[in-house]
Amino acid sequence: MSSGQAPPRSEPFAGFDAAGGGPPRPGPGERSADLRTWLRDLALGARFAVGGGREGWTRTLLTAVGVGLGVTLLLLTASVPAMVHTHSGKEHARESASEGYIAHPGDRTLLWADAGTTYHDHDITGYLLHPEGKQAQLPPGLESWPADGTMVVSPALRELLASAPLLRQRLDHKVTGTIGKAGLVGPADLYFYAGSDHLVARDAQYRHGNADRISGFGSPDRSDALGAPLEMLLIVVLVVLLLPVAVFIGTAVRLGGERRDRRLAALRLVGADIRMARRIAAGEALLGALFGLALGTVLFLAGRQLAAEVSVMSMSAFPSDLAPNPALTVLIVLAVPLASIAVTLAGLRGTAIEPLGVVRQALGRRRRLWWRLLPPAAGLALLAPLFGKVHNGSGINEYQVAAGAVLLLIGVTAVLPWAVEAAVGRLRGGPVAWQLATRRLQLSSSASARMVSGVTVAVAGAIALQMLFNGVSGDYVHSTGADTRRAQAVVDGTMADTARLAADARAIAAAPGVRQVYGYGRVEATRPDAGSLPRRADTQYPDLPLDVGDCTALRQMARITSCRPGSVFLVPPTDDAYGAADYRKYLRPGARIDLNGPDGDTYTGSPRLWRIPAAAVGVRSRADATGSHAWGVLATPQAVAGASLGELDGWLSVVLDPDRTDAIEHARNAVAALGPDLDVFTLYDTRTKAGFVQIRRGLFAGAAFTMALIGAGLLVTMLEQLRERRKLLAVLVAFGTRRSVLGWSVLWQTAVPVVLGLLLAVAGGIGLGAALLAMVRRPFHTDWAGVGTMAGVGAGVVLAVTLLSLPPLWRLMRADGLRTE
């Protein structure tokens, strides 16, 4: 070799990259892999996945099961918008189409009256119908009008009536048909239409009659907007439910890592470079993801057919209502395979694949923390500008909120591998089972962290949501002011006179489980000279309430020390701005009032004057069982015996026996027997806004599906890890290791990452919850009991999965695991 001539370049051994320590240099003509090369290597990887015998098929099927479970939930979530739209459309289609009062019957008019009721925790919607014209529109789902005394019911209500004799006594109409699918929101809908020839149209003042005259069905959608806080709550709910699914899919496509590494080393030995080996590995994962996509579609279609049989938190849907949004479906179909390729390539980024084996993190570098803190920092930076700016009446950037929440939760999963590595690296000594577990964690901390990452994200999100729910609940959960210790139900309706009031009270009190019934009848009186005033629109007719009841009822309305038949009491308004001038002028001992109160702004009929007794006593108002304060004249029936009261607006408070759970049902049956003019209302301490209730129900239903998915996915992941270590387990048993020791080692291998993951979940969840509370301008508060519950649920899921994996573990430790090829 002459001077100045470059030494000949030696060829590397087959399968080895050129020396140099850096990344492999592409050969001539292979500067970068084109699409054709990618497709060839991906197809080759798919062939290896299905051509590796039983082991290859088992690994691919396990991956497909894991991905398929995630795809099922994603498709279900993509169906929610269409389902909500369909449900809303059906709700409005069966509501009244009339927007104003209809005075006279016509060819298209009909009468309808609310006849809904409640049975235990089931709200039953129903209407009495009577067509006035031959062309009256039928309600959706009906083929003909129900005759008088008959009713058409939903399938769910038909089943409930068959199993609830008390409800059947109340709804005693003869069932002659079933409401069609077009008239029902869901298969669990409790709905009925009953025919009645006893309906009388109400007048313009809504005081006389028992039914509304309408022109048909189908009202426009005028539902109130959720408001910024509730909309933000909905966004966070979707993030919390879907992010664990995405994390789980990313874990599922990495199953079978150790066996795959040995195949990749063999490929390197026969001449494949690192890039090609990685593309082949991505092809194996891609095939499992495609099978998972197909399996998820099949599971979704099969589960959709069972939707009619399932009701979660009173929510149900027909199979046809569960139609995934086309755009979201396309996104899922594209994202799942691409994510499998990206996750596989990212997982091999720190792996040295050589012909004689695979070394992960060949340089032995410890994981760095700083870059793992960047996602939560970026998420906090996105949410910080919204602090204090999310309130009712304000707008909200949905993408900014969703991105910020996603980044904060991703930060929890990013920190988890570092935390597991840092913690298990310091573990030494202990029992044999503990040493086996810690050594395994030290060798494969990434796999252990990935296994519990889904649980960690789910728990962190649940803690944040709980903090947000508790923070904004005051805006959507209001106190009714009712005192449920004094009465548990109220009956109201129009009554002819005080005798009817007393008779109805006795009838209700005779029902089983009813301890006491007391109440009053109200007459809206007015000024004594109302009948002689000019009949003009600007004439003022003050409302002067007169309440008639026995002493027991009056003592519930005012602070009365002495009461006997014939007593009359004067109660001033609790608010000086409401009725104060009328009270001083007209409501005083010896003054006269006109019991013929006007219908709205119109005075009709003849005056019915009544003089307030001179012995009337002034008393202070007291909140009744409903939380209302009465004012005006309180009189016993004997004091108004000679007065012409006319119809009364009756209010009866019902006290129930707390030891009889069916007492309220007997009371409702007794009221139903008194006629359709009376309604029963159960008293509650709080009232919750419907939109808030729906989101909370949706969260519980979605959380149940998500935790079930995570549990199933954990089981698949753990079984795959045990299958990969079958030979090692068999060797340990052959050398005399007790099976119980190996069982405890598996439990400890799961427990350590779970504890670390739950600690991170608590910290991350509280951090995200604090940010969300700051956005809606609520003080920071943590419900530690709730935090403990959420963490306990997550730990329970992992414990259940671990226990379910023990039977396969015993089988894997048999001697036939020593066989090899």
Side-chain angles (χ1 to χ4, degrees), residues 16-342:
F16 284 87
D17 296 311
R25 293 189 294 267
E30 196 182 352
R31 290 296 177 185
S32 61
D34 55 13
L35 179 60
R36 183 176 180 180
T37 303
W38 268 94
L39 294 177
R40 180 200 65 194
D41 294 342
L42 291 176
L44 185 59
R47 290 181 58 188
F48 285 138
V50 298
R54 185 178 65 180
E55 293 291 340
W57 272 110
T58 302
R59 180 184 62 258
T60 302
L61 290 178
L62 286 174
T63 301
V65 170
V67 175
L69 291 173
V71 170
T72 302
L73 188 56
L74 289 177
L75 290 175
L76 179 63
T77 306
S79 305
V80 170
M83 183 185 69
V84 172
H85 178 74
T86 302
H87 283 194
S88 178
K90 290 183 176 180
E91 283 280 8
H92 293 290
R94 64 188 186 185
E95 292 179 356
S96 169
S98 301
E99 299 184 3
Y101 175 71
I102 302 176
H104 305 288
D107 290 340
R108 298 180 179 274
T109 62
L110 66 142
L111 300 178
W112 83 329
D114 185 7
T117 185
T118 302
Y119 180 75
H120 291 303
D121 295 331
H122 302 289
D123 291 327
I124 301 171
T125 306
Y127 293 95
L128 301 178
L129 301 176
H130 178 72
E132 293 183 308
K134 296 182 179 180
Q135 299 181 17
Q137 178 186 354
L138 280 167
L142 264 63
E143 297 180 354
S144 61
W145 295 101
D148 181 43
T150 67
M151 65 180 178
V152 182
V153 301
S154 64
L157 182 56
R158 183 189 291 269
E159 295 179 4
L160 182 60
L161 288 172
S163 61
L166 284 176
L167 179 62
R168 194 69 186 95
Q169 294 176 18
R170 193 181 319 158
L171 303 179
D172 57 354
H173 300 77
K174 180 182 178 181
V175 177
T176 58
T178 303
I179 301 176
K181 179 180 173 182
L184 300 175
V185 170
D189 211 358
L190 300 174
Y191 217 88
F192 74 90
Y193 294 104
S196 175
D197 292 339
H198 306 286
L199 299 181
V200 179
R202 293 187 175 94
D203 56 18
Q205 286 72 37
Y206 210 79
R207 298 190 63 174
H208 305 289
N210 58 11
D212 294 327
R213 177 176 288 119
I214 63 174
S215 60
F217 298 91
S219 67
D221 187 356
R222 294 191 179 90
S223 56
D224 296 334
L226 292 177
L230 211 56
E231 188 175 351
M232 186 186 75
L233 188 59
L234 179 60
I235 294 171
V236 178
V237 166
L238 293 176
V239 169
V240 169
L241 294 181
L242 294 182
L243 188 58
V245 178
V247 172
F248 169 68
I249 291 178
T251 302
V253 298
R254 300 180 70 171
L255 295 178
E258 295 185 4
R259 294 180 181 271
R260 180 197 61 195
D261 292 346
R262 290 194 288 271
R263 287 193 308 279
L264 296 179
L267 289 173
R268 294 280 284 130
L269 188 62
V270 296
D273 61 13
I274 288 182
R275 291 184 177 86
M276 182 178 180
R278 290 174 178 171
R279 291 193 292 269
I280 292 174
E284 295 185 38
L286 175 62
L287 183 68
L290 292 176
F291 282 166
L293 194 61
L295 178 62
T297 303
V298 172
L299 291 176
F300 169 75
L301 294 176
R304 189 172 73 162
Q305 299 305 314
L306 300 176
E309 308 298 330
V310 179
S311 176
V312 180
M313 301 297 292
S314 300
M315 299 173 62
S316 64
F318 291 106
S320 58
D321 295 340
L322 294 174
N325 180 278
L328 294 178
T329 303
V330 172
L331 180 62
I332 293 171
V333 171
L334 295 178
V336 170
L338 293 178
S340 67
I341 297 175

Side-chain angles (χ1 to χ4, degrees), residues 406-539:
V406 167
L407 289 173
L408 280 170
L409 291 176
I410 286 179
V412 176
T413 61
V415 174
L416 181 58
W418 174 87
V420 173
E421 181 187 70
V424 301
R426 295 176 172 83
L427 298 178
R428 298 289 186 275
V432 176
W434 175 258
Q435 292 186 47
L436 289 173
T438 55
R439 185 55 181 161
R440 184 66 193 181
L441 288 173
Q442 290 167 356
L443 290 175
S444 59
S445 61
S446 296
S448 302
R450 287 196 303 270
M451 188 178 67
V452 299
S453 58
V455 175
T456 302
V457 171
V459 172
I463 292 173
L465 271 178
Q466 185 191 44
M467 294 176 63
L468 182 57
F469 265 106
N470 292 339
V472 303
S473 61
D475 293 344
Y476 305 101
V477 181
H478 303 282
S479 174
T480 62
D483 187 352
T484 54
R485 296 169 299 178
R486 295 162 61 186
Q488 293 76 47
V490 170
V491 179
D492 75 322
T494 302
M495 301 179 183
D497 48 34
T498 56
R500 165 74 188 277
L501 178 69
D504 287 354
R506 289 192 299 269
I508 299 172
V514 178
R515 286 186 171 180
Q516 183 183 10
V517 178
Y518 57 86
Y520 63 92
R522 172 167 293 179
V523 175
E524 292 293 346
T526 188
R527 56 191 294 177
D529 58 346
S532 61
L533 296 177
R535 306 296 174 88
R536 297 198 306 263
D538 59 347
T539 302

Side-chain angles (χ1 to χ4, degrees), residues 114 128 210 671-672 674-679:
D114 185 7
L128 301 178
N210 58 11
V671 173
L674 296 175
D677 296 336
L678 300 181
D679 295 316

Side-chain angles (χ1 to χ4, degrees), residues 519-681:
Y520 63 92
R522 172 167 293 179
V523 175
E524 292 293 346
T526 188
R527 56 191 294 177
D529 58 346
S532 61
L533 296 177
R535 306 296 174 88
R536 297 198 306 263
D538 59 347
T539 302
Q540 299 296 319
Y541 301 98
D543 290 333
L544 306 176
L546 167 64
D547 296 333
V548 182
D550 58 21
C551 289
T552 301
L554 298 185
R555 283 195 171 97
Q556 299 293 325
M557 306 162 64
R559 302 183 184 280
I560 299 173
T561 57
S562 176
C563 179
R564 63 181 183 274
S567 296
V568 177
F569 305 94
L570 298 178
V571 183
T574 56
D575 187 352
D576 290 341
Y578 175 70
D582 299 333
Y583 172 82
R584 297 188 185 98
K585 188 173 182 180
Y586 300 110
L587 300 183
R588 51 187 174 80
R592 293 190 306 170
I593 57 176
D594 187 354
L595 301 182
N596 181 30
D599 289 338
D601 297 331
T602 304
Y603 186 94
T604 59
S606 303
R608 302 196 304 268
L609 299 180
W610 177 74
R611 186 180 298 276
I612 300 175
V617 179
V619 294
R620 294 171 55 193
S621 177
R622 177 193 179 193
D624 61 14
T626 65
S628 302
H629 285 268
W631 72 278
V633 182
L634 305 184
T636 56
Q638 295 79 6
V640 294
S644 179
L645 296 176
E647 287 187 337
L648 304 173
D649 292 329
W651 288 83
L652 298 174
S653 299
V654 183
V655 182
L656 303 174
D657 185 352
D659 296 329
R660 294 199 57 166
T661 57
D662 59 350
I664 182 63
E665 303 306 327
H666 285 290
R668 289 179 177 136
N669 285 356
V671 173
L674 296 175
D677 296 336
L678 300 181
D679 295 316
V680 183
F681 298 96

